[in-house]
PDB file of all heavy atoms in Angstrom:
ATOM      1  N   ALA A  13      15.263  -2.300   4.392  1.00 42.00           N
ATOM      2  CA  ALA A  13      15.214  -3.442   3.564  1.00 42.00           C
ATOM      3  C   ALA A  13      16.424  -4.347   3.898  1.00 42.00           C
ATOM      4  O   ALA A  13      16.385  -5.559   4.119  1.00 42.00           O
ATOM      5  CB  ALA A  13      15.157  -3.138   2.035  1.00 42.00           C
ATOM      6  N   GLU A  14      17.582  -3.685   4.020  1.00 47.00           N
ATOM      7  CA  GLU A  14      18.814  -4.448   4.265  1.00 47.00           C
ATOM      8  C   GLU A  14      18.687  -5.020   5.717  1.00 47.00           C
ATOM      9  O   GLU A  14      19.416  -6.034   5.984  1.00 47.00           O
ATOM     10  CB  GLU A  14      19.982  -3.500   4.235  1.00 47.00           C
ATOM     11  CG  GLU A  14      20.379  -3.029   2.758  1.00 47.00           C
ATOM     12  CD  GLU A  14      21.495  -2.084   2.688  1.00 47.00           C
ATOM     13  OE1 GLU A  14      21.911  -1.634   3.651  1.00 47.00           O
ATOM     14  OE2 GLU A  14      21.766  -1.539   1.568  1.00 47.00           O
ATOM     15  N   ALA A  15      18.077  -4.400   6.495  1.00 45.00           N
ATOM     16  CA  ALA A  15      17.889  -4.893   7.895  1.00 45.00           C
ATOM     17  C   ALA A  15      16.992  -6.116   8.033  1.00 45.00           C
ATOM     18  O   ALA A  15      16.896  -6.695   9.163  1.00 45.00           O
ATOM     19  CB  ALA A  15      17.414  -3.759   8.936  1.00 45.00           C
ATOM     20  N   GLY A  16      16.372  -6.443   6.963  1.00 45.00           N
ATOM     21  CA  GLY A  16      15.603  -7.742   6.954  1.00 45.00           C
ATOM     22  C   GLY A  16      14.168  -7.582   6.598  1.00 45.00           C
ATOM     23  O   GLY A  16      13.429  -8.529   6.457  1.00 45.00           O
ATOM     24  N   ALA A  17      13.716  -6.362   6.501  1.00 44.00           N
ATOM     25  CA  ALA A  17      12.331  -6.122   6.183  1.00 44.00           C
ATOM     26  C   ALA A  17      11.866  -6.690   4.719  1.00 44.00           C
ATOM     27  O   ALA A  17      10.797  -7.207   4.416  1.00 44.00           O
ATOM     28  CB  ALA A  17      11.921  -4.628   6.133  1.00 44.00           C
ATOM     29  N   GLY A  18      12.844  -6.685   3.815  1.00 44.00           N
ATOM     30  CA  GLY A  18      12.736  -7.158   2.447  1.00 44.00           C
ATOM     31  C   GLY A  18      13.189  -8.611   2.307  1.00 44.00           C
ATOM     32  O   GLY A  18      13.111  -9.156   1.215  1.00 44.00           O
ATOM     33  N   ASP A  19      13.731  -9.162   3.283  1.00 44.00           N
ATOM     34  CA  ASP A  19      14.390 -10.595   3.175  1.00 44.00           C
ATOM     35  C   ASP A  19      13.188 -11.577   2.998  1.00 44.00           C
ATOM     36  O   ASP A  19      12.114 -11.489   3.470  1.00 44.00           O
ATOM     37  CB  ASP A  19      15.058 -10.953   4.444  1.00 44.00           C
ATOM     38  CG  ASP A  19      15.837 -12.194   4.346  1.00 44.00           C
ATOM     39  OD1 ASP A  19      15.332 -13.313   4.164  1.00 44.00           O
ATOM     40  OD2 ASP A  19      17.066 -11.963   4.303  1.00 44.00           O
ATOM     41  N   SER A  20      13.452 -12.571   1.998  1.00 41.00           N
ATOM     42  CA  SER A  20      12.473 -13.426   1.652  1.00 41.00           C
ATOM     43  C   SER A  20      12.101 -14.448   2.725  1.00 41.00           C
ATOM     44  O   SER A  20      10.993 -14.930   2.746  1.00 41.00           O
ATOM     45  CB  SER A  20      12.965 -14.287   0.509  1.00 41.00           C
ATOM     46  OG  SER A  20      14.169 -15.057   0.873  1.00 41.00           O
ATOM     47  N   ALA A  21      13.084 -14.518   3.765  1.00 40.00           N
ATOM     48  CA  ALA A  21      12.708 -15.314   4.955  1.00 40.00           C
ATOM     49  C   ALA A  21      11.757 -14.691   5.867  1.00 40.00           C
ATOM     50  O   ALA A  21      11.117 -15.318   6.733  1.00 40.00           O
ATOM     51  CB  ALA A  21      13.920 -15.735   5.644  1.00 40.00           C
ATOM     52  N   ALA A  22      11.570 -13.367   5.753  1.00 39.00           N
ATOM     53  CA  ALA A  22      10.760 -12.613   6.672  1.00 39.00           C
ATOM     54  C   ALA A  22       9.317 -12.783   6.259  1.00 39.00           C
ATOM     55  O   ALA A  22       9.055 -12.837   5.017  1.00 39.00           O
ATOM     56  CB  ALA A  22      11.124 -11.018   6.737  1.00 39.00           C
ATOM     57  N   PRO A  23       8.333 -12.877   7.177  1.00 39.00           N
ATOM     58  CA  PRO A  23       6.968 -12.992   6.742  1.00 39.00           C
ATOM     59  C   PRO A  23       6.502 -11.824   5.954  1.00 39.00           C
ATOM     60  O   PRO A  23       6.685 -10.698   6.441  1.00 39.00           O
ATOM     61  CB  PRO A  23       6.187 -13.218   8.070  1.00 39.00           C
ATOM     62  CG  PRO A  23       7.092 -12.617   9.128  1.00 39.00           C
ATOM     63  CD  PRO A  23       8.526 -12.822   8.563  1.00 39.00           C
ATOM     64  N   HIS A  24       5.784 -12.006   4.871  1.00 37.00           N
ATOM     65  CA  HIS A  24       5.234 -10.882   4.118  1.00 37.00           C
ATOM     66  C   HIS A  24       4.020 -10.418   4.909  1.00 37.00           C
ATOM     67  O   HIS A  24       3.370 -11.157   5.473  1.00 37.00           O
ATOM     68  CB  HIS A  24       4.844 -11.391   2.779  1.00 37.00           C
ATOM     69  CG  HIS A  24       4.764 -10.242   1.716  1.00 37.00           C
ATOM     70  ND1 HIS A  24       4.039  -9.221   1.773  1.00 37.00           N
ATOM     71  CD2 HIS A  24       5.548 -10.181   0.655  1.00 37.00           C
ATOM     72  CE1 HIS A  24       4.176  -8.396   0.778  1.00 37.00           C
ATOM     73  NE2 HIS A  24       5.146  -8.862   0.017  1.00 37.00           N
ATOM     74  N   PRO A  25       3.738  -9.049   4.908  1.00 38.00           N
ATOM     75  CA  PRO A  25       2.628  -8.498   5.650  1.00 38.00           C
ATOM     76  C   PRO A  25       1.369  -9.217   5.192  1.00 38.00           C
ATOM     77  O   PRO A  25       1.162  -9.428   3.940  1.00 38.00           O
ATOM     78  CB  PRO A  25       2.582  -7.088   5.208  1.00 38.00           C
ATOM     79  CG  PRO A  25       4.019  -6.737   4.830  1.00 38.00           C
ATOM     80  CD  PRO A  25       4.517  -8.050   4.144  1.00 38.00           C
ATOM     81  N   THR A  26       0.486  -9.589   6.181  1.00 39.00           N
ATOM     82  CA  THR A  26      -0.818 -10.136   5.780  1.00 39.00           C
ATOM     83  C   THR A  26      -1.615  -9.028   5.179  1.00 39.00           C
ATOM     84  O   THR A  26      -1.417  -7.944   5.261  1.00 39.00           O
ATOM     85  CB  THR A  26      -1.488 -10.663   7.104  1.00 39.00           C
ATOM     86  OG1 THR A  26      -1.675  -9.570   7.984  1.00 39.00           O
ATOM     87  CG2 THR A  26      -0.605 -11.621   7.796  1.00 39.00           C
ATOM     88  N   ALA A  27      -2.690  -9.462   4.485  1.00 43.00           N
ATOM     89  CA  ALA A  27      -3.604  -8.545   3.880  1.00 43.00           C
ATOM     90  C   ALA A  27      -4.175  -7.343   4.750  1.00 43.00           C
ATOM     91  O   ALA A  27      -4.043  -6.237   4.502  1.00 43.00           O
ATOM     92  CB  ALA A  27      -4.654  -9.182   3.157  1.00 43.00           C
ATOM     93  N   PRO A  28      -4.673  -7.869   5.946  1.00 45.00           N
ATOM     94  CA  PRO A  28      -5.238  -6.649   6.821  1.00 45.00           C
ATOM     95  C   PRO A  28      -4.108  -5.763   7.219  1.00 45.00           C
ATOM     96  O   PRO A  28      -4.336  -4.498   7.311  1.00 45.00           O
ATOM     97  CB  PRO A  28      -5.885  -7.425   7.930  1.00 45.00           C
ATOM     98  CG  PRO A  28      -6.162  -8.693   7.386  1.00 45.00           C
ATOM     99  CD  PRO A  28      -5.055  -9.095   6.365  1.00 45.00           C
ATOM    100  N   ASP A  29      -2.946  -6.253   7.671  1.00 49.00           N
ATOM    101  CA  ASP A  29      -1.935  -5.426   8.133  1.00 49.00           C
ATOM    102  C   ASP A  29      -1.336  -4.513   7.057  1.00 49.00           C
ATOM    103  O   ASP A  29      -1.100  -3.305   7.331  1.00 49.00           O
ATOM    104  CB  ASP A  29      -0.788  -6.319   8.677  1.00 49.00           C
ATOM    105  CG  ASP A  29      -1.142  -6.970  10.007  1.00 49.00           C
ATOM    106  OD1 ASP A  29      -2.124  -6.542  10.705  1.00 49.00           O
ATOM    107  OD2 ASP A  29      -0.423  -8.010  10.437  1.00 49.00           O
ATOM    108  N   ALA A  30      -1.154  -5.162   5.843  1.00 49.00           N
ATOM    109  CA  ALA A  30      -0.602  -4.359   4.730  1.00 49.00           C
ATOM    110  C   ALA A  30      -1.579  -3.216   4.334  1.00 49.00           C
ATOM    111  O   ALA A  30      -1.126  -2.054   4.123  1.00 49.00           O
ATOM    112  CB  ALA A  30      -0.400  -5.274   3.526  1.00 49.00           C
ATOM    113  N   THR A  31      -2.846  -3.538   4.521  1.00 50.00           N
ATOM    114  CA  THR A  31      -3.844  -2.505   4.220  1.00 50.00           C
ATOM    115  C   THR A  31      -3.793  -1.293   5.054  1.00 50.00           C
ATOM    116  O   THR A  31      -3.747  -0.118   4.760  1.00 50.00           O
ATOM    117  CB  THR A  31      -5.351  -3.082   4.142  1.00 50.00           C
ATOM    118  OG1 THR A  31      -5.229  -4.080   3.238  1.00 50.00           O
ATOM    119  CG2 THR A  31      -6.305  -2.031   3.745  1.00 50.00           C
ATOM    120  N   GLY A  32      -3.692  -1.688   6.384  1.00 51.00           N
ATOM    121  CA  GLY A  32      -3.461  -0.681   7.475  1.00 51.00           C
ATOM    122  C   GLY A  32      -2.255   0.210   7.182  1.00 51.00           C
ATOM    123  O   GLY A  32      -2.316   1.537   7.307  1.00 51.00           O
ATOM    124  N   GLN A  33      -1.118  -0.469   6.819  1.00 49.00           N
ATOM    125  CA  GLN A  33       0.040   0.386   6.498  1.00 49.00           C
ATOM    126  C   GLN A  33      -0.144   1.254   5.295  1.00 49.00           C
ATOM    127  O   GLN A  33       0.271   2.395   5.263  1.00 49.00           O
ATOM    128  CB  GLN A  33       1.285  -0.521   6.193  1.00 49.00           C
ATOM    129  CG  GLN A  33       1.894  -1.388   7.388  1.00 49.00           C
ATOM    130  CD  GLN A  33       2.953  -2.259   7.062  1.00 49.00           C
ATOM    131  OE1 GLN A  33       2.740  -3.084   6.204  1.00 49.00           O
ATOM    132  NE2 GLN A  33       4.061  -2.128   7.663  1.00 49.00           N
ATOM    133  N   LEU A  34      -0.783   0.635   4.321  1.00 49.00           N
ATOM    134  CA  LEU A  34      -1.072   1.462   3.116  1.00 49.00           C
ATOM    135  C   LEU A  34      -1.855   2.711   3.443  1.00 49.00           C
ATOM    136  O   LEU A  34      -1.435   3.856   2.972  1.00 49.00           O
ATOM    137  CB  LEU A  34      -1.845   0.617   2.077  1.00 49.00           C
ATOM    138  CG  LEU A  34      -2.697   1.431   1.226  1.00 49.00           C
ATOM    139  CD1 LEU A  34      -1.911   2.082   0.084  1.00 49.00           C
ATOM    140  CD2 LEU A  34      -3.805   0.413   0.511  1.00 49.00           C
ATOM    141  N   LEU A  35      -2.930   2.592   4.198  1.00 52.00           N
ATOM    142  CA  LEU A  35      -3.806   3.713   4.477  1.00 52.00           C
ATOM    143  C   LEU A  35      -3.070   4.787   5.362  1.00 52.00           C
ATOM    144  O   LEU A  35      -3.460   5.891   5.335  1.00 52.00           O
ATOM    145  CB  LEU A  35      -5.084   3.304   5.110  1.00 52.00           C
ATOM    146  CG  LEU A  35      -5.897   2.313   4.057  1.00 52.00           C
ATOM    147  CD1 LEU A  35      -7.134   1.823   4.861  1.00 52.00           C
ATOM    148  CD2 LEU A  35      -6.378   3.026   2.864  1.00 52.00           C
ATOM    149  N   THR A  36      -2.208   4.440   6.152  1.00 50.00           N
ATOM    150  CA  THR A  36      -1.362   5.286   6.874  1.00 50.00           C
ATOM    151  C   THR A  36      -0.461   6.006   6.110  1.00 50.00           C
ATOM    152  O   THR A  36       0.032   7.272   6.369  1.00 50.00           O
ATOM    153  CB  THR A  36      -0.544   4.527   8.060  1.00 50.00           C
ATOM    154  OG1 THR A  36      -1.537   3.933   8.875  1.00 50.00           O
ATOM    155  CG2 THR A  36       0.193   5.591   8.925  1.00 50.00           C
ATOM    156  N   ALA A  37       0.138   5.397   5.010  1.00 47.00           N
ATOM    157  CA  ALA A  37       1.230   6.035   4.149  1.00 47.00           C
ATOM    158  C   ALA A  37       0.733   6.895   3.044  1.00 47.00           C
ATOM    159  O   ALA A  37       1.487   7.454   2.358  1.00 47.00           O
ATOM    160  CB  ALA A  37       2.055   4.874   3.696  1.00 47.00           C
ATOM    161  N   THR A  38      -0.470   6.880   2.827  1.00 45.00           N
ATOM    162  CA  THR A  38      -0.960   7.596   1.612  1.00 45.00           C
ATOM    163  C   THR A  38      -0.595   9.099   1.554  1.00 45.00           C
ATOM    164  O   THR A  38      -0.375   9.581   0.528  1.00 45.00           O
ATOM    165  CB  THR A  38      -2.564   7.533   1.515  1.00 45.00           C
ATOM    166  OG1 THR A  38      -3.096   7.995   2.692  1.00 45.00           O
ATOM    167  CG2 THR A  38      -3.033   6.160   1.172  1.00 45.00           C
ATOM    168  N   ALA A  39      -0.598   9.740   2.723  1.00 42.00           N
ATOM    169  CA  ALA A  39      -0.257  11.096   2.717  1.00 42.00           C
ATOM    170  C   ALA A  39       1.205  11.472   2.226  1.00 42.00           C
ATOM    171  O   ALA A  39       1.578  12.398   1.709  1.00 42.00           O
ATOM    172  CB  ALA A  39      -0.510  11.702   4.119  1.00 42.00           C
ATOM    173  N   GLN A  40       2.181  10.382   2.529  1.00 45.00           N
ATOM    174  CA  GLN A  40       3.452  10.572   2.196  1.00 45.00           C
ATOM    175  C   GLN A  40       3.826  10.097   0.779  1.00 45.00           C
ATOM    176  O   GLN A  40       4.482  10.756   0.061  1.00 45.00           O
ATOM    177  CB  GLN A  40       4.336   9.864   3.075  1.00 45.00           C
ATOM    178  CG  GLN A  40       4.425  10.362   4.471  1.00 45.00           C
ATOM    179  CD  GLN A  40       3.295  10.185   5.366  1.00 45.00           C
ATOM    180  OE1 GLN A  40       2.689   9.102   5.244  1.00 45.00           O
ATOM    181  NE2 GLN A  40       2.874  11.082   6.207  1.00 45.00           N
ATOM    182  N   ARG A  41       3.270   9.023   0.303  1.00 44.00           N
ATOM    183  CA  ARG A  41       3.692   8.481  -0.954  1.00 44.00           C
ATOM    184  C   ARG A  41       2.545   7.988  -1.863  1.00 44.00           C
ATOM    185  O   ARG A  41       2.569   8.215  -3.120  1.00 44.00           O
ATOM    186  CB  ARG A  41       4.468   7.105  -0.806  1.00 44.00           C
ATOM    187  CG  ARG A  41       4.987   6.486  -1.943  1.00 44.00           C
ATOM    188  CD  ARG A  41       6.009   5.374  -1.746  1.00 44.00           C
ATOM    189  NE  ARG A  41       6.502   4.722  -2.989  1.00 44.00           N
ATOM    190  CZ  ARG A  41       5.767   3.856  -3.685  1.00 44.00           C
ATOM    191  NH1 ARG A  41       4.653   3.409  -3.120  1.00 44.00           N
ATOM    192  NH2 ARG A  41       6.279   3.300  -4.754  1.00 44.00           N
ATOM    193  N   SER A  42       1.482   7.647  -1.321  1.00 48.00           N
ATOM    194  CA  SER A  42       0.221   7.201  -2.076  1.00 48.00           C
ATOM    195  C   SER A  42       0.533   6.097  -3.071  1.00 48.00           C
ATOM    196  O   SER A  42       0.480   6.405  -4.279  1.00 48.00           O
ATOM    197  CB  SER A  42      -0.476   8.365  -2.586  1.00 48.00           C
ATOM    198  OG  SER A  42      -1.707   7.986  -3.259  1.00 48.00           O
ATOM    199  N   PRO A  43       0.825   4.980  -2.680  1.00 64.00           N
ATOM    200  CA  PRO A  43       0.975   3.820  -3.641  1.00 64.00           C
ATOM    201  C   PRO A  43      -0.457   3.578  -4.295  1.00 64.00           C
ATOM    202  O   PRO A  43      -0.454   2.835  -5.321  1.00 64.00           O
ATOM    203  CB  PRO A  43       1.491   2.650  -2.776  1.00 64.00           C
ATOM    204  CG  PRO A  43       1.037   2.978  -1.401  1.00 64.00           C
ATOM    205  CD  PRO A  43       1.116   4.484  -1.324  1.00 64.00           C
ATOM    206  N   LEU A  44      -1.550   3.979  -3.723  1.00 71.00           N
ATOM    207  CA  LEU A  44      -2.814   3.775  -4.347  1.00 71.00           C
ATOM    208  C   LEU A  44      -2.872   4.271  -5.765  1.00 71.00           C
ATOM    209  O   LEU A  44      -3.351   3.638  -6.656  1.00 71.00           O
ATOM    210  CB  LEU A  44      -3.877   4.590  -3.511  1.00 71.00           C
ATOM    211  CG  LEU A  44      -4.366   4.055  -2.313  1.00 71.00           C
ATOM    212  CD1 LEU A  44      -5.188   4.897  -1.488  1.00 71.00           C
ATOM    213  CD2 LEU A  44      -5.052   2.713  -2.487  1.00 71.00           C
ATOM    214  N   SER A  45      -2.251   5.336  -6.040  1.00 74.00           N
ATOM    215  CA  SER A  45      -2.303   6.143  -7.326  1.00 74.00           C
ATOM    216  C   SER A  45      -1.514   5.309  -8.371  1.00 74.00           C
ATOM    217  O   SER A  45      -1.762   5.537  -9.543  1.00 74.00           O
ATOM    218  CB  SER A  45      -1.798   7.508  -7.293  1.00 74.00           C
ATOM    219  OG  SER A  45      -0.491   7.551  -6.803  1.00 74.00           O
ATOM    220  N   THR A  46      -0.633   4.470  -8.003  1.00 82.00           N
ATOM    221  CA  THR A  46       0.130   3.543  -8.907  1.00 82.00           C
ATOM    222  C   THR A  46      -0.322   2.262  -9.045  1.00 82.00           C
ATOM    223  O   THR A  46      -0.295   1.605 -10.124  1.00 82.00           O
ATOM    224  CB  THR A  46       1.561   3.691  -8.598  1.00 82.00           C
ATOM    225  OG1 THR A  46       1.795   3.132  -7.170  1.00 82.00           O
ATOM    226  CG2 THR A  46       2.261   5.048  -8.642  1.00 82.00           C
ATOM    227  N   ALA A  47      -0.793   1.704  -7.957  1.00 85.00           N
ATOM    228  CA  ALA A  47      -1.319   0.230  -7.961  1.00 85.00           C
ATOM    229  C   ALA A  47      -2.726   0.337  -8.609  1.00 85.00           C
ATOM    230  O   ALA A  47      -3.020  -0.755  -9.273  1.00 85.00           O
ATOM    231  CB  ALA A  47      -1.439  -0.261  -6.597  1.00 85.00           C
ATOM    232  N   ILE A  48      -3.485   1.298  -8.561  1.00 93.00           N
ATOM    233  CA  ILE A  48      -4.784   1.363  -9.162  1.00 93.00           C
ATOM    234  C   ILE A  48      -4.778   2.407 -10.247  1.00 93.00           C
ATOM    235  O   ILE A  48      -4.638   3.661  -9.781  1.00 93.00           O
ATOM    236  CB  ILE A  48      -5.886   1.466  -8.084  1.00 93.00           C
ATOM    237  CG1 ILE A  48      -5.976   0.422  -7.101  1.00 93.00           C
ATOM    238  CG2 ILE A  48      -7.292   1.685  -8.884  1.00 93.00           C
ATOM    239  CD1 ILE A  48      -6.911   0.568  -5.980  1.00 93.00           C
ATOM    240  N   ALA A  49      -4.869   2.155 -11.459  1.00 94.00           N
ATOM    241  CA  ALA A  49      -4.642   3.083 -12.485  1.00 94.00           C
ATOM    242  C   ALA A  49      -5.794   4.129 -12.543  1.00 94.00           C
ATOM    243  O   ALA A  49      -5.546   5.259 -12.886  1.00 94.00           O
ATOM    244  CB  ALA A  49      -4.480   2.262 -13.813  1.00 94.00           C
ATOM    245  N   HIS A  50      -7.058   3.640 -12.368  1.00 96.00           N
ATOM    246  CA  HIS A  50      -8.267   4.321 -12.672  1.00 96.00           C
ATOM    247  C   HIS A  50      -9.245   4.452 -11.355  1.00 96.00           C
ATOM    248  O   HIS A  50      -9.352   3.433 -10.762  1.00 96.00           O
ATOM    249  CB  HIS A  50      -8.881   3.960 -13.925  1.00 96.00           C
ATOM    250  CG  HIS A  50      -8.096   3.783 -15.140  1.00 96.00           C
ATOM    251  ND1 HIS A  50      -7.589   4.682 -15.852  1.00 96.00           N
ATOM    252  CD2 HIS A  50      -7.574   2.553 -15.585  1.00 96.00           C
ATOM    253  CE1 HIS A  50      -6.802   4.236 -16.795  1.00 96.00           C
ATOM    254  NE2 HIS A  50      -6.860   2.954 -16.690  1.00 96.00           N
ATOM    255  N   TRP A  51      -9.723   5.650 -11.234  1.00 97.00           N
ATOM    256  CA  TRP A  51     -10.642   5.803 -10.111  1.00 97.00           C
ATOM    257  C   TRP A  51     -11.922   6.384 -10.511  1.00 97.00           C
ATOM    258  O   TRP A  51     -12.010   7.466 -11.127  1.00 97.00           O
ATOM    259  CB  TRP A  51      -9.976   6.829  -9.131  1.00 97.00           C
ATOM    260  CG  TRP A  51      -8.838   6.144  -8.517  1.00 97.00           C
ATOM    261  CD1 TRP A  51      -7.522   5.987  -8.940  1.00 97.00           C
ATOM    262  CD2 TRP A  51      -8.735   5.465  -7.176  1.00 97.00           C
ATOM    263  NE1 TRP A  51      -6.780   5.308  -7.956  1.00 97.00           N
ATOM    264  CE2 TRP A  51      -7.466   5.008  -6.906  1.00 97.00           C
ATOM    265  CE3 TRP A  51      -9.761   5.371  -6.193  1.00 97.00           C
ATOM    266  CZ2 TRP A  51      -7.223   4.331  -5.691  1.00 97.00           C
ATOM    267  CZ3 TRP A  51      -9.470   4.715  -4.918  1.00 97.00           C
ATOM    268  CH2 TRP A  51      -8.073   4.245  -4.696  1.00 97.00           C
ATOM    269  N   ALA A  52     -12.993   5.617 -10.463  1.00 98.00           N
ATOM    270  CA  ALA A  52     -14.441   6.019 -10.777  1.00 98.00           C
ATOM    271  C   ALA A  52     -14.979   6.526  -9.538  1.00 98.00           C
ATOM    272  O   ALA A  52     -15.664   5.700  -8.791  1.00 98.00           O
ATOM    273  CB  ALA A  52     -15.092   4.876 -11.400  1.00 98.00           C
ATOM    274  N   ILE A  53     -14.785   7.787  -9.286  1.00 97.00           N
ATOM    275  CA  ILE A  53     -15.391   8.482  -7.966  1.00 97.00           C
ATOM    276  C   ILE A  53     -16.695   9.076  -8.336  1.00 97.00           C
ATOM    277  O   ILE A  53     -16.795   9.985  -9.178  1.00 97.00           O
ATOM    278  CB  ILE A  53     -14.433   9.488  -7.344  1.00 97.00           C
ATOM    279  CG1 ILE A  53     -13.011   8.759  -7.142  1.00 97.00           C
ATOM    280  CG2 ILE A  53     -15.010   9.998  -5.988  1.00 97.00           C
ATOM    281  CD1 ILE A  53     -13.060   7.493  -6.273  1.00 97.00           C
ATOM    282  N   HIS A  54     -17.828   8.744  -7.580  1.00 97.00           N
ATOM    283  CA  HIS A  54     -19.012   9.464  -7.824  1.00 97.00           C
ATOM    284  C   HIS A  54     -18.933  10.956  -7.584  1.00 97.00           C
ATOM    285  O   HIS A  54     -18.541  11.419  -6.391  1.00 97.00           O
ATOM    286  CB  HIS A  54     -20.111   8.880  -6.876  1.00 97.00           C
ATOM    287  CG  HIS A  54     -21.386   9.662  -6.920  1.00 97.00           C
ATOM    288  ND1 HIS A  54     -22.284   9.673  -8.095  1.00 97.00           N
ATOM    289  CD2 HIS A  54     -22.014  10.459  -5.971  1.00 97.00           C
ATOM    290  CE1 HIS A  54     -23.340  10.507  -7.749  1.00 97.00           C
ATOM    291  NE2 HIS A  54     -23.059  10.984  -6.529  1.00 97.00           N
ATOM    292  N   PRO A  55     -19.101  11.747  -8.611  1.00 96.00           N
ATOM    293  CA  PRO A  55     -19.038  13.123  -8.353  1.00 96.00           C
ATOM    294  C   PRO A  55     -20.210  13.828  -7.805  1.00 96.00           C
ATOM    295  O   PRO A  55     -21.020  14.544  -8.351  1.00 96.00           O
ATOM    296  CB  PRO A  55     -18.799  13.720  -9.864  1.00 96.00           C
ATOM    297  CG  PRO A  55     -19.564  12.687 -10.649  1.00 96.00           C
ATOM    298  CD  PRO A  55     -19.499  11.362  -9.997  1.00 96.00           C
TER     299      PRO A  55
END
């Protein structure tokens, strides 16, 4: 972040790119479980 990734002048990830990053990172952190509170998965 200090190197500029979080700088307001830096372009924010576009929706497709951010989604790709998200799906790659789920195994390490899984922001999915915090950004989406409830999951209705067909059992």
Side-chain angles (χ1 to χ4, degrees):
E14 291 174 0
D19 193 287
S20 58
H24 207 295
T26 61
D29 289 342
T31 304
Q33 288 178 303
L34 154 73
L35 297 175
T36 302
T38 52
Q40 287 75 38
R41 182 175 180 274
S42 186
L44 282 172
S45 61
T46 55
I48 300 175
H50 309 285
W51 292 78
I53 306 299
H54 171 67

